[in-house]
Amino acid sequence: MTDQIPFAAVEFAANPEPRCACVLLLDTSASMSGARISELQEGLAVLKYELSQDLLARKRVELAVVTFGGSVRMLSEFTTVDQFEPPILHADGLTPLGGAVTTGLELVRNRKRVYRQNGIACYRPWVFLLTDGEPSDPWQAAAAAVRHAETARDAAFFAVGVGEANFDVLGQLSVRQPLMLRGLQFRQMFQWLSTSLKSVSHSGVSDELSLKNPTAPDGWAKL
Amino acid sequence: MIVYSADGKPVELGSVLGRGGEGAVHLRLGDESQACKVYTKPPTDQRTAKLTWMVNRLHAHPDLAQWCTWPQELLFDDQHQCVGFAMQRLKELRPIHEVYQPEQRKTVLPTAGWDFLVRVATNCARMFETLHKYDVIVGDVNERNIFVDADATVHLVDCDSFQIRDGEQFFGTGVGVVDYTPPEMQGVDFRLVPRTVEHDRFGLAVIAFKLLLMGRHPFSGGASGDLHHAIATKDWDYPQLAQRLRHLLPWSVVGPPVRAAFIAAFTEDQRPSAALWIERLAAFEAGLQPCRREPLHKVPAGLGTCPWCTIEQVAGYAYFSRPQTQYHSQWQSADSQLAPLDAELKALVPPRQPEEWQSPPGMEAAIATARAMLQAERPPDLLGWYLALGGGLVATGGVAMALFHPSRGVVVAGAGVLALVASRWLTARRQVPWHKVTAAIEQQIAAMREIEAEWKGEALRFRDQDKRLRAWLAELRVQVLGVNEQRQREIDKLEGSQVSEALRAGLMRYDLAAASILNIPVEKKRALAIRGVLTAADLDRSKLAAIPGLADAQIEALIAWRRSTEALLTGSRAQGPSPAQLGAIDANFQHMRDNLLAEMRGALGTLRDSGQLADGRMAELIEQGKQAGLALQARVEAARREYIEH
Ligand SMILES: Nc1ncnc2c1ncn2[C@@H]1O[C@H](COP(=O)(O)OP(=O)(O)OP(=O)(O)O)[C@@H](O)[C@H]1O
């Protein structure tokens, strides 16, 4: 044991609630520009709004945002909802999807380690991927990492395709059934995500996810 | 919306106080001490029977409703179908998690110390005790259903989910939260297995632990990080964890009887009853004393060092931050600081005025004599003239004589020439001719007049400078005195804004999303949310008018809702400016005034220097004048002697 005070300690002393980490992997490649990116941007605001409505989720859910358009960029590190400011998105460049997934998994792994170091309980972290295209980098290793994380219950990985997304690749990436967004229903999708995170962060059950089916006729997704 | 009581009397529902999974809780119009829960879906017969039993039971045991919002009266629709129930309305909706989370608690209850948290735990035990006494089991113990008042009393809501057994009759709970569920019930379907008092006791122990140990769940340190797993395997390791993590409260700080109760509850399945908790927690609270440094640090008697101070030092986090008590302003009027400056200013005599010119001694007299002499006739040069005349005659005579007697004639002419030369020599010996003498005297007089003019000019200059400085000092003095008022204005402004801040804070608790407002569908609320309109506090006409797609009627509906919410809140106590804010104001204005006073001192110094400079310069000119007078006098004397008296 060293004699240094880990900075994180203060954060967890101030708020010792169990945490539910969720990293959003958002495709911001050039093809997302226009209505897609602006709807996505509003969707982030909806997510923050919906989660803030819940006094406990506000202290328990931690959001991080990683974009991949041209390069993989971490726009927002893990922060609890009450301190989360949706970052501004810009659409540009290719689709380094594989790199983004690897980064996302690594982020949640590291975050979990920080929780454990500080004696903070946590729910299974979520990695939520959103893409509208074709990976422009190798993604097979990322797919293996996802499979590994899911079997070890290290993370729950969700993949959502928009427009011309390569559904085939998403199917190979994700253990769970990937979903196709209906039209531009980003807000409905983030509302669903918020409701799911809220219910996860309340139940205390990290093993089983009983989520509202987003592919119901009134849902935001289709298979 | 209108519902009906059992005897058919209409009950009007007011604004929504809260919303749950099963329905909405409204204010009861006409009786604001009551709230009405109205289910979204009509309750099952089983649920109606449960509520009926509860209402009846309350008549026999009114104390059931002492610490919870026990149903007091059933509510029906116009078809006599039960739609909900009336209960006591809770005024302070502060969920218990806002009290045990340290940072949140510091905001919502800034003056609460550890003793307060222990008291809340004791009161929770009292609440359970009252229910357990009548075999009522809470079942779904969780941090959202317990509300804490500012006086540390607690109330349970969601009473219609209590588990009740009465002879043959059984009404279950069916739901639960992992965090408060004992090991033997982890992973069990709550709809199938009835709850026992033992289960409630586990939940109570968890709540007490969170309150006493700074919001930490007793099982949150488990190796897996997973609460369900940690509880199920009784992986309770707080004492070790607190050794490793220095921001945690050391286990030894908790009194031995309370410690033993926790250990029994979490590891030995001998969960203390609510009654035992009351006893031990009350005793523990009684032994707490403030630490010497910080009154908010409550420490068990007999402990050598204050654990809260220690944590602040080693971990850098203050679990209890010093409540800023009453602010005692050191502010004083500036009179005492102005008095010496005023005295100094008064002692500074303004410099001489130009009109006060007084000629240096002897100067005017010298000028007068000079003028008198100059006005007299130009003195004749008699000797020279006679000599020249005589010399001329003698010389002429000598030349004439030389015709007859050349040798004598030459001598006589020579003498005449000599006399002529002597006359020239005499004239030349007087060096300065008269007109030159008078010119010099005139010049000297002019120079003296110039000295006078310069003196007056200097006096004028110094007088202006003096006036300017004195005006500046007067201006500064007014400013210094004005600081008092300015400070008061600032404080008034702050207090004014605090009143509206208190109302604003109140309005912010009313979420648009949770409110049912006529004409405002969910999508509209979302559209509003995206534009930053989230709570009643955000509703104002100008803001709403700027939002596209909002009909006038909708704007009116929103404003009306804000008004009704405001009406609920008026009387919400204004906090008044905080000591820190007042302190900052004082410091600001003190600084400002100190600057002004320093400037005054500077100006006074300049004034003093300028006065001394003026005095010196004036005296110097007077001296010059005096010397010039003497010089003139001497010249006049000499001239008189030389030209006139001969
Ligand atoms: N008596 C009351 N006075 C004031 N507000 C209340 C009262 N009862 C409940 N509320 C508010 O309404 C909210 C919902 O109440 P309650 O928990 O009873 O609803 P519910 O539908 O049973 O919720 P859930 O089953 O999801 O916990 C509470 O969180 C609280 O904010």
Side-chain angles (χ1 to χ4, degrees), chain B residues 17-25 35 37 69 87-91 93 140 142 144-145 147 157-160:
Chain B
L17 300 172
R19 228 177 256 279
E22 301 178 305
V25 175
K37 179 164 178 174
T69 56
M87 60 187 151
Q88 182 205 345
R89 173 193 165 208
L90 299 183
K91 286 255 165 56
L93 285 179
D140 183 16
N142 72 66
R144 292 163 176 270
N145 287 347
F147 292 92
V157 299
D158 204 9
C159 302
D160 48 333

Side-chain angles (χ1 to χ4, degrees), chain B residues 144-193:
Chain B
R144 292 163 176 270
N145 287 347
I146 303 172
F147 292 92
V148 183
D149 276 12
D151 64 0
T153 55
V154 296
H155 286 89
L156 257 172
V157 299
D158 204 9
C159 302
D160 48 333
S161 73
F162 287 172
Q163 176 182 293
I164 283 153
R165 193 189 291 279
D166 182 24
E168 288 296 286
Q169 294 199 79
F170 176 79
F171 305 108
T173 294
V175 286
V177 172
V178 166
D179 309 29
Y180 300 89
T181 300
E184 69 274 19
M185 287 292 278
Q186 289 289 335
V188 169
D189 188 337
F190 297 125
R191 286 164 301 185
L192 304 179
V193 183

Side-chain angles (χ1 to χ4, degrees), chain B residues 133-147:
Chain B
K133 195 166 78 185
Y134 298 108
D135 288 331
V136 173
I137 289 164
V138 177
D140 183 16
V141 179
N142 72 66
E143 62 277 88
R144 292 163 176 270
N145 287 347
I146 303 172
F147 292 92

Side-chain angles (χ1 to χ4, degrees), chain B residues 376-392:
Chain B
E377 281 292 299
R378 178 180 185 244
D381 185 5
L382 293 175
L383 182 64
W385 200 76
Y386 291 144
L387 263 179
L389 190 67

Side-chain angles (χ1 to χ4, degrees), chain A residues 46-58 61 63 81 190 193-195 197-198 201:
Chain A
V46 168
L47 180 66
K48 157 134 183 151
Y49 166 67
E50 296 280 345
L51 283 170
S52 328
Q53 296 308 297
D54 188 304
L55 291 179
L56 266 185
R58 229 159 138 141
V61 175
L63 297 171
V81 172
F190 279 115
L193 179 61
S194 142
T195 313
L197 288 172
K198 277 193 258 184
S201 71

